[in-house]
Amino acid sequence: MLKAGEAGAYGNPLDYFRQVKSLSTSDVDHEVIDLPHGPVSIFPGPCHLASLLIAVARDMSRRAVVSLPPPSGVDPVRWHTYLERLARRRPVLWRNHREAIESRYLDLGVSAAVGFPTGAGKSALAELKIATALLADRSVIFLAPTHALVDQTRNSLARAFPRANVRHEYLDDGSFAPDENAPPNVLIMTPEACLARMSFDASFFEDTGLLVFDECHLLHPSAPAADRRALDAMLCVLNFARLAREADFLLLSAMMKNTTEIAEWIEDLTARHCLVIVMEAHSATSRQRCVSRRRDIRS
């Protein structure tokens, strides 16, 4: 009987589970039962449990958030300290998260357009990208289309990054005066508020390392002749690219059907890589997978 913390006689838990599964099955004498597929005798409970534990033990280390290597330009010690805190809330990553990260999504200098459906993990990917910027000592601008989402995002990111100065700004509450004693690490606002601040405090954006635009389908006008919000959002993105030339972009939406075109536009705007990260359904099944692509930038 194994005690807690013991590796067991087979060296590691995976070998132990495999041995249990092997001991749970045995061949049946063909003279007693004559079946073409080779009859077996099985203890279903231990065999099924061992099979489940094998699947968990085989994939857990690869899926564990603490196993993520540090992105380029980020101190490994600070990165692993952050992952240890993150693992208390999110111990494992989904397959689409891992596939995006394997495409070097987290590296500094790489932007991304993420077209995941609702519930597919856009927030988790955004949080990891924000963590990369913060650990590289860069500030983050987060755009949300409504005041309600600004408040919600501020509360969520304040919990995710308790040691960072996470603030929000509104266009109509007079809160644009900069606080020189405690400049924000993460500033959440609407595109309209961001555009207004650019008009009188352009230097504020020069050291920003990441722009996150949630619900970025706002860029597409609902009525081209009269949609002022889409125009303000587009001007905000264009001006930000001019003011923060080294910043990465992360555009998120569950309703972005032209993700590839958006990524190509960001590449043209920044002259740096922009990944396309979407969920594509397999033709034979209803399962989905993450597809990431990167284009070569020609100078």
Side-chain angles (χ1 to χ4, degrees), residues 171 191-192 195-196 218-236:
L171 183 61
E192 293 88 349
L195 184 62
L218 180 65
L219 290 165
H220 182 74
S222 57
D227 194 344
R228 176 61 183 270
R229 298 193 67 212
L231 178 60
D232 287 343
M234 179 62 73
L235 289 174
C236 176

Side-chain angles (χ1 to χ4, degrees), residues 68-71 74-83 106 128 132 135:
L68 283 180
V74 174
D75 178 71
V77 175
R78 297 178 67 191
W79 176 250
H80 287 297
T81 299
Y82 163 72
L83 292 183
L106 292 179
L128 287 167
T132 300
L135 292 174

